Amino acid sequence: MGIMSKIFTAVKGHASEAGEAIVDANALTILDQEIRDADAEMRKSRDNLASVMAKRQITADKLSGKKSKEKEYEGYVQAALAKNDEALATEVAGKIAELEGEIATDDGLVAEYDVSIASLRKSITEAEDRIKRMKVKVDVVKAREHVIRASQAASAANTGANSKVGSALESLDRLQVRQAEQQAKINAANELAKEGTDASLEEKLRAAGLAPGGASAQDVLARLRKPAG
């Protein structure tokens, strides 16, 4: 395979993937439109069925009229024969024969209409059942899609909240460490300041019991009890 063929195949592949992605992203919209189209076709089918049924009824009405006319002409033939009017009986019998041919044709048409109507009714009923089931499936898919979106939103919110809490805890830890370091620096500075003064040395001597400290309350009372002079 040449390089151009490979490039063309790659472009076709990307186009196909992009098309599938678009279809998937708009699947519910496409399904809704297809169901609306199916409903529109079903209305047309029902209109066509009504038209066929009307034509069948018209043919059946004509057939009924022709059969009634046949009965009427048969009565005329019998009446003509009763009067020994062979010519008239023969003429009316010819009309009856003509009617019988039309009746046979119309009988066949009515039978064909009945078969077609039954077939159309069955097809329409099956199609309507499929559309109803499809609508139920679409409703379920829509409900599930809302649940999934709500779950995703909740999960994203929870993840974001956890991330924010974790970030806040990290900031708090850093703040505590920084405060501890600052306090340690202050304590160290104070210690260094004391070590550079006499006061620090005297404190160390008094702590060791080597330097006199200030007078205690008992010392002051003993001194004041001694008589003057």
Side-chain angles (χ1 to χ4, degrees):
M1 181 182 291
I3 185 66
M4 293 305 297
S5 297
K6 291 182 179 180
I7 292 174
F8 181 70
T9 301
V11 170
K12 286 178 63 179
H14 286 303
S16 177
E17 290 176 357
E20 290 178 357
I22 293 172
V23 170
D24 291 342
N26 297 276
L28 291 176
T29 302
I30 293 171
L31 275 174
D32 284 338
Q33 184 58 49
E34 288 178 343
I35 288 175
R36 285 193 292 270
D37 293 342
D39 283 334
E41 291 299 324
M42 290 309 304
R43 286 192 293 271
K44 292 179 181 178
S45 297
R46 284 200 165 277
D47 289 342
N48 292 334
L49 175 59
S51 177
V52 171
M53 292 174 69
K55 291 178 180 179
R56 186 265 182 204
Q57 188 60 47
I58 292 171
T59 303
D61 290 342
K62 288 181 179 179
L63 177 59
S64 179
K66 290 175 181 179
K67 286 182 177 180
S68 296
K69 202 68 176 178
E70 181 186 24
K71 294 293 183 183
E72 181 183 343
Y73 283 161
E74 287 176 353
Y76 292 152
V77 169
Q78 290 172 354
L81 290 174
K83 292 182 178 183
N84 294 318
D85 191 343
E86 290 288 338
L88 181 59
T90 301
E91 183 180 352
V92 176
K95 189 61 177 178
I96 291 174
E98 182 181 339
L99 282 172
E100 285 178 347
E102 293 178 2
I103 288 171
T105 299
D106 289 348
D107 269 332
L109 289 175
V110 171
E112 288 182 10
Y113 275 127
D114 288 339
V115 172
S116 298
I117 289 169
S119 177
L120 284 171
R121 277 179 167 167
K122 181 181 178 182
S123 298
I124 289 172
T125 300
E126 291 175 350
E128 286 179 338
D129 287 342
R130 285 195 296 271
I131 291 173
K132 287 178 181 177
R133 289 195 295 271
M134 180 59 68
K135 287 180 178 179
V136 171
K137 289 182 180 179
V138 170
D139 289 340
V140 172
V141 169
K142 284 182 178 179
R144 185 173 292 126
E145 184 68 14
H146 287 306
V147 171
I148 291 172
R149 289 180 181 177
S151 298
Q152 288 176 337
S155 178
N158 185 54
T159 301
N162 290 338
S163 176
K164 290 178 181 178
V165 170
S167 177
L169 289 175
E170 290 177 359
S171 298
L172 181 60
D173 289 341
R174 288 195 300 271
L175 178 60
Q176 289 176 331
V177 170
R178 184 166 61 252
Q179 288 176 341
E181 291 176 351
Q182 290 173 344
Q183 187 61 48
K185 289 179 180 179
I186 292 172
N187 293 339
N190 290 335
E191 289 295 326
L192 290 173
K194 289 179 180 179
E195 290 178 356
T197 62
D198 292 339
S200 175
L201 179 58
E202 290 177 358
E203 286 180 2
K204 291 179 179 181
L205 290 173
R206 282 197 297 273
L210 300 177
S216 65
Q218 296 298 326
D219 293 336
V220 172
L221 289 174
R223 186 177 68 249
L224 291 175
R225 286 193 182 101
K226 292 179 178 180

mmCIF file of all heavy atoms in Angstrom, residues 69 73 90-100 102:
data_model
loop_
_atom_site.group_PDB
_atom_site.id
_atom_site.type_symbol
_atom_site.label_atom_id
_atom_site.label_comp_id
_atom_site.label_asym_id
_atom_site.label_seq_id
_atom_site.Cartn_x
_atom_site.Cartn_y
_atom_site.Cartn_z
ATOM 1 N N LYS A 69 -80.301 -6.114 -8.151
ATOM 2 C CA LYS A 69 -80.819 -5.975 -9.514
ATOM 3 C C LYS A 69 -80.954 -7.334 -10.182
ATOM 4 O O LYS A 69 -81.924 -7.599 -10.932
ATOM 5 C CB LYS A 69 -79.858 -5.092 -10.324
ATOM 6 C CG LYS A 69 -80.516 -4.439 -11.537
ATOM 7 C CD LYS A 69 -81.537 -3.414 -11.084
ATOM 8 C CE LYS A 69 -82.134 -2.672 -12.257
ATOM 9 N NZ LYS A 69 -83.173 -1.703 -11.859
ATOM 10 N N TYR A 73 -84.289 -8.833 -11.845
ATOM 11 C CA TYR A 73 -84.378 -9.288 -13.229
ATOM 12 C C TYR A 73 -84.830 -10.743 -13.304
ATOM 13 O O TYR A 73 -85.529 -11.144 -14.252
ATOM 14 C CB TYR A 73 -83.047 -9.117 -13.943
ATOM 15 C CG TYR A 73 -82.760 -7.682 -14.347
ATOM 16 C CD1 TYR A 73 -81.458 -7.276 -14.644
ATOM 17 C CD2 TYR A 73 -83.776 -6.737 -14.461
ATOM 18 C CE1 TYR A 73 -81.184 -5.978 -15.026
ATOM 19 C CE2 TYR A 73 -83.519 -5.433 -14.833
ATOM 20 C CZ TYR A 73 -82.214 -5.056 -15.109
ATOM 21 O OH TYR A 73 -81.965 -3.752 -15.492
ATOM 22 N N THR A 90 -85.773 -13.697 -22.771
ATOM 23 C CA THR A 90 -84.396 -13.873 -23.254
ATOM 24 C C THR A 90 -83.597 -12.587 -23.099
ATOM 25 O O THR A 90 -82.413 -12.602 -22.706
ATOM 26 C CB THR A 90 -84.404 -14.297 -24.732
ATOM 27 O OG1 THR A 90 -85.138 -15.527 -24.854
ATOM 28 C CG2 THR A 90 -82.997 -14.489 -25.255
ATOM 29 N N GLU A 91 -84.205 -11.451 -23.390
ATOM 30 C CA GLU A 91 -83.515 -10.158 -23.270
ATOM 31 C C GLU A 91 -83.129 -9.892 -21.825
ATOM 32 O O GLU A 91 -81.998 -9.472 -21.522
ATOM 33 C CB GLU A 91 -84.416 -9.053 -23.790
ATOM 34 C CG GLU A 91 -83.736 -7.689 -23.770
ATOM 35 C CD GLU A 91 -84.630 -6.591 -24.297
ATOM 36 O OE1 GLU A 91 -85.716 -6.893 -24.809
ATOM 37 O OE2 GLU A 91 -84.225 -5.411 -24.193
ATOM 38 N N VAL A 92 -84.066 -10.158 -20.917
ATOM 39 C CA VAL A 92 -83.775 -9.934 -19.494
ATOM 40 C C VAL A 92 -82.736 -10.933 -19.004
ATOM 41 O O VAL A 92 -81.852 -10.594 -18.189
ATOM 42 C CB VAL A 92 -85.063 -10.033 -18.656
ATOM 43 C CG1 VAL A 92 -84.751 -9.899 -17.168
ATOM 44 C CG2 VAL A 92 -86.060 -8.963 -19.075
ATOM 45 N N ALA A 93 -82.804 -12.161 -19.500
ATOM 46 C CA ALA A 93 -81.805 -13.168 -19.116
ATOM 47 C C ALA A 93 -80.420 -12.727 -19.561
ATOM 48 O O ALA A 93 -79.410 -12.958 -18.862
ATOM 49 C CB ALA A 93 -82.173 -14.514 -19.733
ATOM 50 N N GLY A 94 -80.303 -12.085 -20.720
ATOM 51 C CA GLY A 94 -79.011 -11.555 -21.165
ATOM 52 C C GLY A 94 -78.479 -10.486 -20.210
ATOM 53 O O GLY A 94 -77.270 -10.417 -19.935
ATOM 54 N N LYS A 95 -79.408 -9.665 -19.713
ATOM 55 C CA LYS A 95 -78.991 -8.645 -18.740
ATOM 56 C C LYS A 95 -78.514 -9.296 -17.454
ATOM 57 O O LYS A 95 -77.535 -8.850 -16.840
ATOM 58 C CB LYS A 95 -80.182 -7.730 -18.455
ATOM 59 C CG LYS A 95 -79.838 -6.513 -17.628
ATOM 60 C CD LYS A 95 -78.823 -5.616 -18.322
ATOM 61 C CE LYS A 95 -78.528 -4.366 -17.533
ATOM 62 N NZ LYS A 95 -77.504 -3.517 -18.178
ATOM 63 N N ILE A 96 -79.207 -10.391 -17.075
ATOM 64 C CA ILE A 96 -78.785 -11.114 -15.865
ATOM 65 C C ILE A 96 -77.396 -11.704 -16.043
ATOM 66 O O ILE A 96 -76.550 -11.649 -15.134
ATOM 67 C CB ILE A 96 -79.815 -12.217 -15.525
ATOM 68 C CG1 ILE A 96 -81.136 -11.593 -15.058
ATOM 69 C CG2 ILE A 96 -79.265 -13.136 -14.433
ATOM 70 C CD1 ILE A 96 -82.257 -12.600 -14.846
ATOM 71 N N ALA A 97 -77.115 -12.252 -17.215
ATOM 72 C CA ALA A 97 -75.798 -12.824 -17.499
ATOM 73 C C ALA A 97 -74.718 -11.753 -17.413
ATOM 74 O O ALA A 97 -73.619 -11.983 -16.882
ATOM 75 C CB ALA A 97 -75.815 -13.474 -18.876
ATOM 76 N N GLU A 98 -75.045 -10.565 -17.936
ATOM 77 C CA GLU A 98 -74.090 -9.444 -17.857
ATOM 78 C C GLU A 98 -73.841 -9.070 -16.406
ATOM 79 O O GLU A 98 -72.688 -8.829 -16.002
ATOM 80 C CB GLU A 98 -74.661 -8.261 -18.627
ATOM 81 C CG GLU A 98 -73.744 -7.045 -18.651
ATOM 82 C CD GLU A 98 -74.369 -5.887 -19.403
ATOM 83 O OE1 GLU A 98 -75.276 -6.104 -20.227
ATOM 84 O OE2 GLU A 98 -73.938 -4.728 -19.163
ATOM 85 N N LEU A 99 -74.923 -9.015 -15.635
ATOM 86 C CA LEU A 99 -74.781 -8.681 -14.214
ATOM 87 C C LEU A 99 -73.973 -9.734 -13.467
ATOM 88 O O LEU A 99 -73.170 -9.403 -12.577
ATOM 89 C CB LEU A 99 -76.157 -8.526 -13.560
ATOM 90 C CG LEU A 99 -76.904 -7.222 -13.823
ATOM 91 C CD1 LEU A 99 -78.328 -7.302 -13.267
ATOM 92 C CD2 LEU A 99 -76.168 -6.051 -13.179
ATOM 93 N N GLU A 100 -74.172 -10.987 -13.782
ATOM 94 C CA GLU A 100 -73.439 -12.066 -13.107
ATOM 95 C C GLU A 100 -71.933 -11.921 -13.337
ATOM 96 O O GLU A 100 -71.124 -12.177 -12.436
ATOM 97 C CB GLU A 100 -73.940 -13.414 -13.601
ATOM 98 C CG GLU A 100 -75.300 -13.804 -13.040
ATOM 99 C CD GLU A 100 -75.785 -15.126 -13.580
ATOM 100 O OE1 GLU A 100 -75.189 -15.630 -14.567
ATOM 101 O OE2 GLU A 100 -76.763 -15.673 -13.034
ATOM 102 N N GLU A 102 -70.348 -9.059 -13.893
ATOM 103 C CA GLU A 102 -69.910 -7.925 -13.082
ATOM 104 C C GLU A 102 -69.871 -8.302 -11.596
ATOM 105 O O GLU A 102 -68.959 -7.886 -10.865
ATOM 106 C CB GLU A 102 -70.853 -6.746 -13.296
ATOM 107 C CG GLU A 102 -70.781 -6.157 -14.703
ATOM 108 C CD GLU A 102 -71.767 -5.020 -14.888
ATOM 109 O OE1 GLU A 102 -72.466 -4.670 -13.903
ATOM 110 O OE2 GLU A 102 -71.832 -4.477 -16.008
#
